[in-house]
Amino acid sequence: MMEGTANYAARVSVGEPASRTVERLRSPRPAEDVRWRFYDTGAALCLLLDRLSAGWQERSDRQPALTVVELMDEALRGRDAAADAFSSADTAGFQARAAAGIADLGVRRQRLLVELRERQGGRVVIEVMPGAEPFRVQRFDPINLMVLDAGAIAHANYLSLSVPQGGVELTNPGFVRGSFGGTVSVTEAAGRHPLSDGIRRLTIAGIQGAPKVGGAERTVSVEAPGVRLTLPGAEAHVEGALIRIVVRRPGHERDVPYHHIGIPTASAVEA
């Protein structure tokens, strides 16, 4: 109802033929591209409604609670027609392709994790300690990411996080759609949901150049190509190309040992 109709409107406005949407639907996509599958399916239903129910757009404006599928069902009933059903063989084929796609995604997830651990360049790891407010997600690219295990997400393009009086702004100077090259960030969730419950740990890998570390007392700032952060109530530890940052709750003075977990560099593992 939202992205499907939006893609339909865009394609019609530029004069794209309906056959192009058909080609998109028939083209194989990896499992994580399910969002685009919904976009194309929604646009295709709208294109079918153009054939079966003239004026459906105006009715949709008047009755916004009606879904595209409900409009389609009504159009078919008006023509004394019914949607076809998939055979058992069709369903088995769908399930087999889905299982293969999920297995392939699992392999690529693990491959990406290994590659990020070993990626050359600067690295920043930020951990929000218990009692401190977790990062809140302000801006992210929902298309160019990969959901990993245990509430972690790899962000290939851009990411913006905030904490009281501070935050992190990330962009990838080497971003190429469909790739996780360049400066990539990995968020780890503070709660059940990987984003909306907040972020407890952030790893930034593949930073080009030497990051500049500074800031006033109890505040850490870091600047590098594609990386800008200012974190009050934090402390930084620099170990070669690795910068560890700990964010503590306001007024917390006791020196709590910092344990580095997440996605360390080889030098961090040796240390």
Side-chain angles (χ1 to χ4, degrees), residues 160-184:
S160 175
L161 305 176
S162 68
V163 290
Q165 301 178 348
V168 181
E169 292 283 344
L170 304 174
T171 58
N172 185 355
F175 171 69
V176 176
R177 186 177 293 277
S179 165
F180 283 85
T183 303
V184 174

Side-chain angles (χ1 to χ4, degrees), residues 38-248:
F38 278 111
Y39 290 1
D40 292 332
T41 302
L45 288 171
C46 294
L47 291 167
L48 286 172
L49 281 171
D50 283 348
R51 297 187 192 180
L52 300 175
S53 182
W56 70 268
Q57 299 94 332
E58 291 81 4
R59 185 179 177 194
S60 181
D61 282 341
R62 293 193 307 270
Q63 299 174 270
L66 280 176
T67 68
V68 171
V69 173
E70 288 170 335
L71 289 168
M72 178 66 69
D73 286 341
E74 185 175 307
L76 291 174
R77 287 196 302 271
R79 291 170 173 260
D80 195 25
D84 201 356
F86 292 115
S87 67
S88 298
D90 291 332
T91 302
F94 298 151
Q95 292 174 337
R97 287 197 294 275
I102 292 169
D104 173 69
L105 177 59
V107 170
R108 289 186 289 110
R109 281 175 167 172
Q110 292 304 313
R111 188 182 301 145
L112 176 61
L113 277 171
V114 171
E115 196 278 327
L116 288 174
R117 290 190 185 104
E118 300 173 351
R119 180 161 298 181
Q120 297 298 308
R123 180 180 304 266
V124 175
V125 178
I126 307 169
E127 184 173 6
V128 180
M129 300 302 287
E133 183 72 18
F135 289 111
R136 297 298 171 185
V137 179
Q138 301 299 315
R139 180 171 176 261
F140 71 103
D141 184 347
I143 301 295
N144 296 289
L145 56 76
M146 181 175 285
V147 179
L148 306 173
D149 294 332
I153 296 179
H155 303 263
N157 193 4
Y158 57 79
L159 178 68
S160 175
L161 305 176
S162 68
V163 290
Q165 301 178 348
V168 181
E169 292 283 344
L170 304 174
T171 58
N172 185 355
F175 171 69
V176 176
R177 186 177 293 277
S179 165
F180 283 85
T183 303
V184 174
S185 57
V186 177
T187 55
E188 298 179 53
R192 182 175 181 180
H193 192 279
L195 293 176
S196 63
D197 289 338
I199 304 301
R200 282 289 179 197
R201 187 176 294 108
L202 172 69
T203 299
I204 311 166
I207 301 171
Q208 299 304 305
K212 297 178 181 178
V213 183
E217 184 180 359
R218 301 299 295 174
T219 297
V220 173
S221 67
V222 176
E223 288 194 18
V227 179
R228 178 175 294 180
L229 65 87
T230 301
L231 298 173
E235 57 190 57
H237 307 272
V238 180
E239 300 178 7
L242 171 65
I243 302 171
R244 305 178 182 182
I245 299 175
V246 180
V247 179
R248 304 192 190 282

